Amino acid sequence: MMTTTPVPARRDLSEAPLLVAARGGAPAHVPVWFMRQAGRSLPEYRRLREGVPMLSACFDPELLAEITMQPVRRHGVDAAILFSDIVVPLRAAGVNIDIVAGTGPVVAEPVRSRDDVARLPELEPEQLRPVAEGVRLLVERLGRTPLIGFAGAPFTLASYLIEGGPSKHHARTKALMRSEPELWHALAATLARTTSTFLRAQLDAGVDAVQLFDSWAGALSEKDYREFVLPHSAAVLADVAEYGVPRIHFGVGTGELLPAMREAGADVVGVDWRLPLDEAARRLSVPGLPAPVVQGNLDPALLAASWPVVEDEVRRIVAEGRAAGGHILNLGHGVLPETDPEVLTRVVELAHSL
């Protein structure tokens, strides 16, 4: 991938509960953060974003830093997650992609041929300067709270490029993958380099952990995942191993893929709400390896239920998480926009009391 660069000095957060749990230690309390916690459900986020396109906000250092800080101030979570989007590195490299309200990422010219792959631009670290500057601002302002960087995994990025936008069935992606495997691997390798460059830019600027989102990998069989996806996700995770920070790997509907996702090089494996964490830990256990660390997995929809329901679910999930070598409490996917922020705050307070 990229040439080796000196690993930057980081804040000493050796006692931070999230980082302790991610490394299989015994944290002072159950650590908790929420996917998509920066924005969506927060009224202060909506005010700040008014009239500002999503991708414009992602390339504004002050704005992305402030949005990232908002849920830390409001909820007292154990980590900030960088405000960004999985298509940011594609946009930075020069791919004509945008986020359309109510739809999601839309690609002007889908990638479906060898020439299309050859025309994809390589991402250069300099193109990510605004993101790196935002990370540096956050490292200065977060105090003792860790900052998680993130990127989309090659398969999920490829699915957007091939389909031209969001897809329920990923039909074109699967067809290309199986019909033209050499073309698929060329595309996935290109995107692995892009993802690695994006993560390394965040790491060089000071993030304390990274999460690789393979949002749509659950659409695949284990056989196809191992053949067409695992090598490229593994390349990304291996390329950032030298930084020595926890690497989290997450996808939706990936219960049957969890062992392979750990094999890709993850230190922590995120689990969605479909599978109990004790069963996830069992599937992830490998003789001779340390007990697996899991992240998850409260159903985001249940945050709309009454508080007794939410409380029971949090207690159940924390109890099941004790079967693993470590547990970071999170949702099984992102915060829904209609979620009451007060419920998120109460979940954090409850987790810290258990």
Side-chain angles (χ1 to χ4, degrees):
M1 293 273 179
M2 296 178 62
T3 57
T4 301
T5 56
V7 178
R10 284 188 162 72
R11 296 173 291 165
D12 179 9
L13 300 178
S14 55
E15 300 300 316
L18 179 130
L19 299 179
V20 172
R23 295 185 168 109
H29 59 245
V30 176
V32 53
W33 68 279
F34 305 108
M35 287 182 280
R36 294 189 188 140
Q37 69 186 13
R40 292 169 65 93
S41 65
L42 298 182
E44 57 265 41
Y45 165 79
R46 292 193 290 270
R47 288 193 297 269
L48 197 59
R49 271 285 316 281
E50 190 172 353
V52 181
M54 173 68 179
L55 289 178
S56 296
C58 292
F59 285 96
D60 182 320
E62 279 288 349
L63 193 55
L64 74 86
E66 172 57 24
I67 292 171
T68 301
M69 291 289 297
Q70 286 178 343
V72 178
R73 297 191 198 104
R74 178 184 273 262
H75 303 310
V77 286
D78 292 285
I81 176 75
L82 182 69
F83 178 75
S84 189
D85 190 89
I86 63 171
V87 304
V88 161
L90 297 176
R91 177 69 168 261
V95 175
N96 191 349
I97 188 168
D98 202 1
I99 298 176
V100 177
T103 300
V106 175
V107 182
E109 298 176 358
V111 175
R112 294 171 185 167
S113 71
R114 192 166 299 278
D115 287 344
D116 293 336
V117 173
R119 281 195 294 268
L120 283 174
E122 290 282 343
L123 178 64
E124 299 297 335
E126 178 64 22
Q127 294 170 308
L128 296 167
R129 180 181 288 183
V131 177
E133 179 57 29
V135 170
R136 284 189 282 269
L137 292 174
L138 283 161
V139 169
E140 294 172 1
R141 297 171 186 177
L142 278 168
R144 310 304 298 166
T145 302
L147 175 61
I148 302 171
F150 84 91
F155 172 78
T156 290
L157 292 180
S159 72
Y160 282 119
L161 290 177
I162 294 167
E163 304 290 342
S167 171
K168 286 186 178 180
H169 304 294
H170 309 282
R172 289 182 181 273
T173 305
K174 292 182 179 182
L176 186 148
M177 179 187 289
R178 297 296 294 272
S179 301
E180 301 186 68
E182 290 186 6
L183 176 58
W184 166 262
H185 285 297
L187 173 59
T190 297
L191 294 173
R193 291 194 299 273
T194 297
T195 297
S196 178
T197 299
F198 189 39
L199 287 178
R200 291 179 71 101
Q202 296 172 58
L203 286 159
D204 287 338
V207 300
D208 305 291
V210 292
Q211 176 156 305
L212 187 65
F213 284 83
D214 212 349
S215 306
W216 310 132
L220 299 172
S221 68
E222 183 185 10
K223 177 179 180 297
D224 282 352
Y225 179 87
R226 288 185 175 277
E227 181 176 353
F228 296 108
V229 177
L230 192 155
H232 303 288
S233 292
V236 173
L237 292 168
D239 197 49
V240 299
E242 67 180 295
Y243 290 88
V245 307
R247 296 161 297 171
I248 308 167
H249 200 10
F250 171 76
V252 181
T254 53
E256 300 304 317
L257 307 180
L258 293 178
M261 292 177 72
R262 187 182 188 191
E263 287 175 34
D267 303 299
V268 181
V269 179
V271 183
D272 77 4
W273 65 92
R274 295 172 177 87
L275 190 70
L277 289 183
D278 50 0
E279 171 60 17
R282 186 191 69 78
R283 295 185 186 188
L284 287 163
S285 295
V286 177
L289 291 182
V293 179
V294 295
Q295 179 177 278
N297 66 343
L298 179 64
D299 186 342
L302 287 182
L303 293 172
S306 64
W307 175 249
V309 171
V310 176
E311 180 178 1
D312 285 349
E313 283 295 290
V314 171
R315 291 181 180 277
R316 175 186 64 81
I317 290 164
V318 169
E320 291 169 353
R322 294 194 177 105
H327 174 217
I328 299 165
L329 182 65
N330 206 311
L331 303 181
H333 201 195
V335 176
L336 298 175
E338 60 271 22
T339 303
D340 179 356
E342 181 59 30
V343 175
L344 294 172
T345 302
R346 294 184 72 181
V347 168
V348 175
E349 292 170 349
L350 173 60
H352 289 174
S353 73
L354 298 177

